[in-house]
Amino acid sequence: MTEQCTTPHSPTGLSSAGREIARCPAPPHRAAEARAAAAEFAAQLHPAPSARTVQNLLLLSSELVTNAIQHAGAVTALSFKADSGTLHVRVADPSPAHPQSRVPDMTGRTGGFGWPMILRLAHRVTIRPLGREGKIILAVMAR
C-alpha cells in the first residue's frame, strides 16, 4: 500500500474513548498490503499485543482481504480497531453475497481453507449487508 493506515496517537496508545482506530485511505489490492497495514496498526498499540496475537491478526487480515479479492472482486475498505480486550478487522467489498464454507481442496487447486480459518481465528464474525453496495465483514479477536 502506498499510503499506510492512519491511527490517532496518544501517550497511552488509546483514544479518549478507550479505542484505537486505523482506517486505510486506499483499500489494499493484495493480501501483503493488508498484512503490512495490520502490522503497522499492531505496532502502535499500547500495551502491545503478544507476538502470537499479532501473527493471528496478520493472518486474519490477510485471509479476509484474499477472500474479498477472490470472491467479491475487490476490497472497498479496510480498517482496524482495538480496545482493552479485543482487536477488530473490518473489510468491505462490493459483493452482497455472503461467504460460503466449502470443502477444502487438499490438492491446492481451488482453496476452501480461508473462511474456516477466519472463523477459527476470530471469536466473532458478523456480516453487515450494504444492499447493492456490497457488504462489510467484521471479525473480532481476543487482544
Side-chain angles (χ1 to χ4, degrees), residues 3 21 24 26 28 38 43 45 58 61 72 83 85 92 126-127 137 143:
E3 297 180 12
I21 300 171
C24 298
L45 296 176
L58 271 60
S61 303
D83 57 32
T126 57
I127 301 166
I137 298 179
R143 185 169 175 168

Side-chain angles (χ1 to χ4, degrees), residues 46-91:
H46 182 76
S50 71
R52 181 180 178 143
T53 298
V54 172
Q55 288 302 312
N56 286 342
L57 176 66
L58 271 60
L59 184 55
L60 182 62
S61 303
S62 180
E63 288 299 325
L64 286 166
V65 165
T66 296
N67 281 359
I69 292 167
Q70 286 183 341
H71 301 290
V75 173
T76 56
L78 172 65
S79 64
F80 301 92
K81 182 172 83 170
D83 57 32
S84 61
T86 59
L87 299 173
H88 303 236
V89 182
R90 183 182 306 249
V91 175

Side-chain angles (χ1 to χ4, degrees), residues 1-141:
M1 210 171 355
T2 55
E3 297 180 12
Q4 295 294 337
C5 296
T6 55
T7 306
H9 182 69
S10 72
T12 63
L14 295 175
S15 69
S16 60
R19 290 177 279 194
E20 191 73 44
I21 300 171
R23 289 181 185 85
C24 298
H29 298 289
R30 298 183 353 242
E33 295 169 350
R35 287 190 301 274
E40 179 187 359
F41 176 72
Q44 295 179 29
L45 296 176
H46 182 76
S50 71
R52 181 180 178 143
T53 298
V54 172
Q55 288 302 312
N56 286 342
L57 176 66
L58 271 60
L59 184 55
L60 182 62
S61 303
S62 180
E63 288 299 325
L64 286 166
V65 165
T66 296
N67 281 359
I69 292 167
Q70 286 183 341
H71 301 290
V75 173
T76 56
L78 172 65
S79 64
F80 301 92
K81 182 172 83 170
D83 57 32
S84 61
T86 59
L87 299 173
H88 303 236
V89 182
R90 183 182 306 249
V91 175
D93 68 53
S95 172
H98 284 225
Q100 300 293 313
S101 292
R102 42 192 184 105
V103 176
D105 178 3
M106 300 308 281
T107 67
R109 285 180 274 177
T110 61
F113 295 93
W115 189 243
M117 189 179 310
I118 289 165
L119 297 175
R120 180 172 222 127
L121 289 168
H123 74 262
R124 185 175 74 240
V125 177
T126 57
I127 301 166
R128 190 175 102 209
L130 298 174
R132 292 184 179 154
E133 314 244 331
K135 67 184 167 297
I136 295 172
I137 298 179
L138 172 64
V140 181
M141 61 181 284

